[in-house]
Amino acid sequence: MGRQQGNGSKAAGLLALLATSATATPILTPANWMRMVDNSLKGVAADVRSLFLSGTAPNNTSSRCKVYPGDRNWPSDETWANLNKLVENRLLDRPEPLASVCYNGTLYNAEECVKVTAHWNESYSHFDNAVEMMSPVAQGMTCLPPNIFDSRACTRGGFPMYVINATKPEHVQMGVNFARNTGVRLVVKNTGHDFLGKSSGQDALSIWTHYFKDIEYIEEYVDAETGYLGPAFKAGVGVQAFEIYKAAHEKGHSVVGGEGETVGIFGGYIQGGGHSPLTSLYGTGADQVLSFEVVTADGDYVTANSKSNTDLFWAMRGGGGSTFGIATSVTVKAHPDFPTTASRFSFTSEKIGNETFWAAIRDYVDYFIPNADAGTYAYWTLIPNVWTGIFSFSMSPFFAPNKTLEETHALLQPWFTRLEELGIDFNPNITHFDSYYEAWRSSFPLETVGKINATTGSRMFPRGNFETKEKRDELFQNLRQSSENNRVQVHFNIKAVDPANSDNAVNPAWRENILFAQQAVRWNSNGAAAETLKVRQEFQSGDMQRWRDISPGAGSYLAEADRLEPDFGQAFWGDKYPRLLELKAKLDPHDVFFATTSVGSERWKVESVDGLPNENGKLCRVEN
């Protein structure tokens, strides 16, 4: 619905816009699509050609599980070759995981293994691999560098068997049609950042959207339905934070996206809501969306916006990725690129003692509401050391968009005064930057990925947890208890403003949030599966339940959470979940799309080989 305006009047531009169709013209009409398939597969039996057609219903709906190798309905090698032909030879057959070079076999390469091992925990090492995801625990831990975790061999585990390296919507359409018509499991991968490992699945067909990389600047986008009139960017779904932030800066703008530089912010991030250093000013990532171009479960290619396919548009703004359709491009609002101030500092309990350390943290809690209301974003951590008993605090950073040095000092000084009174030595390193982009580049740490013995749970603590001293005391005591229970904690002191005309599927808990809190449980990576499962279950019934108990009715963020989150529909979407379930049944009645803890996923379960919550197993219907 957006278009670039020329030199004519805004009124003329609006009339021209309204005269255009709000629905994307399909790349191929149904008749031309069938003709293309027939011409490409001359001499191939009609029943095989039908596997690639749009709008058809699957033939094997009675099967309890998706179709897997060895099943009678598993496509033949010739059929896979036909798919490869139709996607212009972009079908990857059993692409190898990174650590395959570390194990005996034709791919063994000791020198490459050293490199893979050295950079294993860096996101830049993983996102451009066709199958790797950044949560190996969710993959099943079947192929990691031996010096990190000896999986004793490199097997595929929860990795997909085939990957379409898609660069055109037609490639996505072919993959969706093939999966729907054959019953093969379908997964979608962009960069693989999701904490829960939703971008993989054993022996699945994966559609890899990483190389949808176009970026278009729209100087004046007009949305008559919502009243938005202003700049926008239309980006391919594979565009990452570092790419769109740079492009926006070059045009004198910023966009709402995550702090992690390698996140593909137009995929699962934005479709799941997405918090940002700008969320306290402009809302979530999903609140910025003006339009999607989407391949639906029927294999159609459509535009979803405020005028066309409105149910799909509503659901895809916060309802989660890999659920209602596969986006190929997203158009989002652009905002000013303004000066920004940031502060980075840390301190520990080593010299001051634990009680003084915790007194400092308790004092900080008093400032969460005013800091969030001022439009700032504080990213801070609490790290326990079980061996020494020392606790560490790190602010990395306190981020103040559109704030001067003086304004930022004024916000932080009350707490800093208290730290000085407590005798805590710290250097606030308050730095002013001329642009949001330069501040972002300089202030945030690179993501650490590839952890082998930890999982994270999260909770959105609402304003009500901070409005009285008693409530602040209660929350603080629960944070301290988690640290004393050896839980690594990552926190974001932010609010998510509710922009005008933002009716969408974003978790309503975001609108009340003041502290988005994460804690991680760790276990013996060489322990038995039953032992690991017990640790994870006790984490949910213990530390996470404590957090839920003091924030009744609040929620969790679906992309940074635990696969064992109980009642995930309520936790991730609150009172919007019933409508999302209805739309899932309407838009994807055959469950072509599935991701763990996604809308409607209660009907399915990955029957993992070790009984742990991971992708190393068949996806089967849950029997009543």
Short mmCIF file of all heavy atoms in Angstrom, two decimals, residues 580-620:
data_model
loop_
_atom_site.label_atom_id
_atom_site.label_comp_id
_atom_site.label_asym_id
_atom_site.label_seq_id
_atom_site.Cartn_x
_atom_site.Cartn_y
_atom_site.Cartn_z
N LEU A 580 -6.13 -15.66 17.90
CA LEU A 580 -5.02 -16.22 17.11
C LEU A 580 -5.29 -17.68 16.76
O LEU A 580 -5.00 -18.12 15.64
CB LEU A 580 -3.71 -16.08 17.88
CG LEU A 580 -3.11 -14.67 17.90
CD1 LEU A 580 -2.04 -14.55 18.96
CD2 LEU A 580 -2.55 -14.30 16.53
N LEU A 581 -5.84 -18.45 17.68
CA LEU A 581 -6.19 -19.84 17.39
C LEU A 581 -7.23 -19.91 16.27
O LEU A 581 -7.15 -20.77 15.38
CB LEU A 581 -6.71 -20.54 18.64
CG LEU A 581 -5.68 -20.96 19.67
CD1 LEU A 581 -6.37 -21.46 20.93
CD2 LEU A 581 -4.75 -22.04 19.12
N GLU A 582 -8.22 -19.03 16.32
CA GLU A 582 -9.23 -19.01 15.26
C GLU A 582 -8.60 -18.69 13.91
O GLU A 582 -8.94 -19.31 12.89
CB GLU A 582 -10.31 -17.98 15.60
CG GLU A 582 -11.18 -18.34 16.79
CD GLU A 582 -12.17 -17.25 17.14
OE1 GLU A 582 -12.19 -16.22 16.42
OE2 GLU A 582 -12.91 -17.41 18.12
N LEU A 583 -7.68 -17.73 13.89
CA LEU A 583 -7.04 -17.35 12.63
C LEU A 583 -6.10 -18.43 12.13
O LEU A 583 -5.95 -18.62 10.92
CB LEU A 583 -6.30 -16.02 12.81
CG LEU A 583 -7.20 -14.81 13.02
CD1 LEU A 583 -6.36 -13.55 13.22
CD2 LEU A 583 -8.15 -14.62 11.83
N LYS A 584 -5.45 -19.14 13.04
CA LYS A 584 -4.61 -20.26 12.62
C LYS A 584 -5.45 -21.31 11.89
O LYS A 584 -5.07 -21.81 10.82
CB LYS A 584 -3.92 -20.88 13.83
CG LYS A 584 -3.09 -22.13 13.53
CD LYS A 584 -1.89 -21.85 12.68
CE LYS A 584 -0.99 -23.09 12.55
NZ LYS A 584 0.16 -22.87 11.66
N ALA A 585 -6.62 -21.63 12.44
CA ALA A 585 -7.51 -22.61 11.80
C ALA A 585 -8.00 -22.11 10.45
O ALA A 585 -8.19 -22.91 9.52
CB ALA A 585 -8.69 -22.91 12.72
N LYS A 586 -8.21 -20.81 10.33
CA LYS A 586 -8.69 -20.24 9.08
C LYS A 586 -7.59 -20.12 8.03
O LYS A 586 -7.80 -20.47 6.85
CB LYS A 586 -9.28 -18.85 9.36
CG LYS A 586 -9.65 -18.05 8.11
CD LYS A 586 -10.08 -16.64 8.50
CE LYS A 586 -10.31 -15.78 7.26
NZ LYS A 586 -10.70 -14.39 7.63
N LEU A 587 -6.43 -19.64 8.43
CA LEU A 587 -5.37 -19.33 7.48
C LEU A 587 -4.47 -20.53 7.17
O LEU A 587 -3.82 -20.55 6.12
CB LEU A 587 -4.52 -18.18 8.03
CG LEU A 587 -5.25 -16.86 8.26
CD1 LEU A 587 -4.37 -15.89 9.03
CD2 LEU A 587 -5.68 -16.25 6.92
N ASP A 588 -4.40 -21.48 8.06
CA ASP A 588 -3.55 -22.67 7.86
C ASP A 588 -4.27 -23.90 8.41
O ASP A 588 -3.84 -24.51 9.38
CB ASP A 588 -2.20 -22.47 8.57
CG ASP A 588 -1.23 -23.62 8.33
OD1 ASP A 588 -1.46 -24.41 7.39
OD2 ASP A 588 -0.25 -23.72 9.09
N PRO A 589 -5.38 -24.29 7.79
CA PRO A 589 -6.20 -25.38 8.35
C PRO A 589 -5.50 -26.73 8.36
O PRO A 589 -5.90 -27.62 9.12
CB PRO A 589 -7.43 -25.40 7.44
CG PRO A 589 -6.96 -24.79 6.15
CD PRO A 589 -5.96 -23.75 6.55
N HIS A 590 -4.48 -26.90 7.54
CA HIS A 590 -3.77 -28.19 7.46
C HIS A 590 -2.46 -28.18 8.26
O HIS A 590 -1.69 -29.14 8.16
CB HIS A 590 -3.50 -28.55 6.00
CG HIS A 590 -4.74 -28.57 5.16
ND1 HIS A 590 -5.78 -29.44 5.38
CD2 HIS A 590 -5.11 -27.79 4.10
CE1 HIS A 590 -6.73 -29.23 4.50
NE2 HIS A 590 -6.36 -28.23 3.71
N ASP A 591 -2.22 -27.14 9.03
CA ASP A 591 -0.99 -27.03 9.82
C ASP A 591 0.26 -27.26 8.97
O ASP A 591 1.15 -28.04 9.32
CB ASP A 591 -1.01 -28.01 11.00
CG ASP A 591 -1.92 -27.54 12.13
OD1 ASP A 591 -2.26 -26.34 12.16
OD2 ASP A 591 -2.30 -28.35 12.98
N VAL A 592 0.29 -26.57 7.85
CA VAL A 592 1.50 -26.60 7.02
C VAL A 592 2.67 -26.01 7.82
O VAL A 592 3.78 -26.51 7.78
CB VAL A 592 1.29 -25.80 5.72
CG1 VAL A 592 2.57 -25.77 4.89
CG2 VAL A 592 0.15 -26.41 4.91
N PHE A 593 2.38 -24.94 8.55
CA PHE A 593 3.41 -24.27 9.35
C PHE A 593 3.32 -24.75 10.80
O PHE A 593 2.24 -24.84 11.37
CB PHE A 593 3.21 -22.75 9.31
CG PHE A 593 3.21 -22.17 7.93
CD1 PHE A 593 2.10 -21.47 7.45
CD2 PHE A 593 4.30 -22.32 7.09
CE1 PHE A 593 2.08 -20.93 6.18
CE2 PHE A 593 4.30 -21.79 5.81
CZ PHE A 593 3.19 -21.09 5.35
N PHE A 594 4.47 -25.02 11.37
CA PHE A 594 4.56 -25.41 12.77
C PHE A 594 5.87 -24.90 13.33
O PHE A 594 6.92 -24.95 12.69
CB PHE A 594 4.52 -26.94 12.94
CG PHE A 594 4.90 -27.39 14.33
CD1 PHE A 594 3.94 -27.50 15.33
CD2 PHE A 594 6.22 -27.66 14.67
CE1 PHE A 594 4.28 -27.88 16.62
CE2 PHE A 594 6.58 -28.05 15.97
CZ PHE A 594 5.59 -28.15 16.93
N ALA A 595 5.81 -24.43 14.57
CA ALA A 595 7.02 -24.14 15.36
C ALA A 595 6.67 -24.42 16.81
O ALA A 595 5.53 -24.21 17.24
CB ALA A 595 7.47 -22.70 15.17
N THR A 596 7.62 -24.90 17.55
CA THR A 596 7.40 -25.18 18.97
C THR A 596 6.88 -23.94 19.69
O THR A 596 7.40 -22.84 19.50
CB THR A 596 8.72 -25.64 19.61
OG1 THR A 596 9.08 -26.90 19.05
CG2 THR A 596 8.57 -25.79 21.11
N THR A 597 5.85 -24.11 20.48
CA THR A 597 5.16 -23.06 21.26
C THR A 597 4.56 -21.98 20.37
O THR A 597 4.27 -20.88 20.84
CB THR A 597 6.05 -22.42 22.33
OG1 THR A 597 7.08 -21.64 21.71
CG2 THR A 597 6.67 -23.45 23.26
N SER A 598 4.34 -22.27 19.08
CA SER A 598 3.64 -21.32 18.23
C SER A 598 2.14 -21.50 18.40
O SER A 598 1.66 -22.46 19.03
CB SER A 598 4.04 -21.53 16.76
OG SER A 598 3.62 -22.82 16.32
N VAL A 599 1.39 -20.59 17.83
CA VAL A 599 -0.07 -20.66 17.91
C VAL A 599 -0.56 -21.99 17.32
O VAL A 599 -0.22 -22.34 16.18
CB VAL A 599 -0.71 -19.48 17.17
CG1 VAL A 599 -2.23 -19.64 17.11
CG2 VAL A 599 -0.34 -18.16 17.84
N GLY A 600 -1.34 -22.73 18.09
CA GLY A 600 -1.89 -24.00 17.62
C GLY A 600 -0.97 -25.18 17.72
O GLY A 600 -1.35 -26.30 17.36
N SER A 601 0.24 -24.96 18.23
CA SER A 601 1.21 -26.07 18.28
C SER A 601 0.85 -27.12 19.32
O SER A 601 1.47 -28.18 19.34
CB SER A 601 2.62 -25.52 18.55
OG SER A 601 2.68 -24.87 19.80
N GLU A 602 -0.14 -26.84 20.16
CA GLU A 602 -0.56 -27.84 21.15
C GLU A 602 -1.01 -29.14 20.49
O GLU A 602 -1.01 -30.19 21.12
CB GLU A 602 -1.73 -27.30 21.99
CG GLU A 602 -1.44 -26.01 22.71
CD GLU A 602 -1.92 -24.81 21.94
OE1 GLU A 602 -1.87 -24.84 20.69
OE2 GLU A 602 -2.34 -23.84 22.56
N ARG A 603 -1.41 -29.04 19.22
CA ARG A 603 -1.90 -30.24 18.52
C ARG A 603 -0.79 -31.17 18.09
O ARG A 603 -1.05 -32.28 17.63
CB ARG A 603 -2.70 -29.80 17.28
CG ARG A 603 -3.96 -29.02 17.59
CD ARG A 603 -4.77 -28.76 16.34
NE ARG A 603 -4.14 -27.82 15.44
CZ ARG A 603 -4.31 -26.50 15.49
NH1 ARG A 603 -5.07 -25.98 16.44
NH2 ARG A 603 -3.73 -25.70 14.62
N TRP A 604 0.45 -30.72 18.21
CA TRP A 604 1.59 -31.48 17.71
C TRP A 604 2.67 -31.58 18.78
O TRP A 604 2.73 -30.78 19.71
CB TRP A 604 2.19 -30.80 16.48
CG TRP A 604 1.25 -30.74 15.32
CD1 TRP A 604 0.29 -29.78 15.09
CD2 TRP A 604 1.18 -31.65 14.23
NE1 TRP A 604 -0.37 -30.06 13.93
CE2 TRP A 604 0.15 -31.19 13.37
CE3 TRP A 604 1.89 -32.80 13.88
CZ2 TRP A 604 -0.17 -31.85 12.19
CZ3 TRP A 604 1.56 -33.47 12.71
CH2 TRP A 604 0.54 -32.99 11.88
N LYS A 605 3.55 -32.56 18.62
CA LYS A 605 4.68 -32.71 19.54
C LYS A 605 5.85 -33.35 18.80
O LYS A 605 5.66 -34.29 18.03
CB LYS A 605 4.30 -33.59 20.73
CG LYS A 605 5.43 -33.75 21.75
CD LYS A 605 5.02 -34.64 22.91
CE LYS A 605 6.16 -34.79 23.92
NZ LYS A 605 5.79 -35.68 25.05
N VAL A 606 7.03 -32.80 19.04
CA VAL A 606 8.24 -33.45 18.53
C VAL A 606 8.57 -34.60 19.47
O VAL A 606 8.86 -34.37 20.66
CB VAL A 606 9.42 -32.47 18.43
CG1 VAL A 606 10.68 -33.20 17.98
CG2 VAL A 606 9.09 -31.33 17.47
N GLU A 607 8.54 -35.81 18.98
CA GLU A 607 8.84 -36.99 19.79
C GLU A 607 10.33 -37.26 19.73
O GLU A 607 10.82 -38.10 18.98
CB GLU A 607 8.01 -38.18 19.30
CG GLU A 607 6.52 -37.93 19.42
CD GLU A 607 5.64 -39.08 18.93
OE1 GLU A 607 6.18 -39.99 18.25
OE2 GLU A 607 4.43 -39.06 19.22
N SER A 608 11.07 -36.49 20.54
CA SER A 608 12.53 -36.52 20.47
C SER A 608 13.07 -37.87 20.90
O SER A 608 12.48 -38.56 21.74
CB SER A 608 13.13 -35.40 21.32
OG SER A 608 12.85 -35.61 22.68
N VAL A 609 14.22 -38.22 20.37
CA VAL A 609 14.79 -39.55 20.63
C VAL A 609 15.27 -39.70 22.07
O VAL A 609 15.33 -40.82 22.59
CB VAL A 609 15.94 -39.84 19.65
CG1 VAL A 609 15.45 -39.88 18.21
CG2 VAL A 609 17.08 -38.83 19.80
N ASP A 610 15.60 -38.57 22.72
CA ASP A 610 16.09 -38.66 24.11
C ASP A 610 15.07 -38.16 25.13
O ASP A 610 15.37 -38.10 26.32
CB ASP A 610 17.40 -37.90 24.26
CG ASP A 610 17.31 -36.43 23.86
OD1 ASP A 610 16.18 -35.96 23.61
OD2 ASP A 610 18.35 -35.76 23.81
N GLY A 611 13.88 -37.79 24.67
CA GLY A 611 12.84 -37.33 25.59
C GLY A 611 13.00 -35.89 26.05
O GLY A 611 12.17 -35.40 26.82
N LEU A 612 14.03 -35.21 25.58
CA LEU A 612 14.25 -33.81 25.94
C LEU A 612 13.51 -32.89 24.96
O LEU A 612 13.21 -33.29 23.83
CB LEU A 612 15.74 -33.49 25.94
CG LEU A 612 16.56 -34.15 27.05
CD1 LEU A 612 18.05 -33.92 26.84
CD2 LEU A 612 16.12 -33.60 28.41
N PRO A 613 13.22 -31.66 25.37
CA PRO A 613 12.52 -30.73 24.48
C PRO A 613 13.45 -30.18 23.40
O PRO A 613 14.09 -29.15 23.56
CB PRO A 613 12.04 -29.63 25.42
CG PRO A 613 12.96 -29.70 26.60
CD PRO A 613 13.39 -31.12 26.73
N ASN A 614 13.55 -30.92 22.29
CA ASN A 614 14.39 -30.49 21.18
C ASN A 614 13.79 -30.96 19.87
O ASN A 614 12.72 -31.59 19.85
CB ASN A 614 15.83 -31.01 21.36
CG ASN A 614 15.92 -32.52 21.43
OD1 ASN A 614 15.37 -33.24 20.60
ND2 ASN A 614 16.62 -33.03 22.45
N GLU A 615 14.46 -30.69 18.76
CA GLU A 615 13.94 -30.99 17.42
C GLU A 615 14.42 -32.32 16.86
O GLU A 615 14.14 -32.63 15.70
CB GLU A 615 14.32 -29.85 16.46
CG GLU A 615 13.67 -28.52 16.78
CD GLU A 615 12.15 -28.57 16.68
OE1 GLU A 615 11.63 -29.38 15.90
OE2 GLU A 615 11.49 -27.79 17.39
N ASN A 616 15.10 -33.11 17.67
CA ASN A 616 15.65 -34.37 17.20
C ASN A 616 14.62 -35.50 17.33
O ASN A 616 14.74 -36.38 18.18
CB ASN A 616 16.93 -34.72 17.97
CG ASN A 616 17.65 -35.93 17.40
OD1 ASN A 616 17.33 -36.39 16.30
ND2 ASN A 616 18.61 -36.44 18.14
N GLY A 617 13.62 -35.45 16.47
CA GLY A 617 12.58 -36.47 16.50
C GLY A 617 11.49 -36.13 15.50
O GLY A 617 11.47 -35.05 14.89
N LYS A 618 10.56 -37.04 15.34
CA LYS A 618 9.46 -36.83 14.41
C LYS A 618 8.42 -35.89 15.01
O LYS A 618 8.16 -35.90 16.21
CB LYS A 618 8.79 -38.16 14.06
CG LYS A 618 9.66 -39.10 13.23
CD LYS A 618 8.88 -40.37 12.85
CE LYS A 618 9.73 -41.27 11.95
NZ LYS A 618 8.97 -42.48 11.53
N LEU A 619 7.81 -35.10 14.14
CA LEU A 619 6.71 -34.24 14.53
C LEU A 619 5.40 -34.99 14.31
O LEU A 619 5.07 -35.34 13.17
CB LEU A 619 6.72 -32.95 13.72
CG LEU A 619 5.58 -31.97 14.00
CD1 LEU A 619 5.63 -31.48 15.44
CD2 LEU A 619 5.61 -30.79 13.02
N CYS A 620 4.68 -35.24 15.39
CA CYS A 620 3.47 -36.07 15.33
C CYS A 620 2.33 -35.38 16.05
O CYS A 620 2.53 -34.57 16.96
CB CYS A 620 3.72 -37.44 15.96
SG CYS A 620 5.03 -38.39 15.14
#
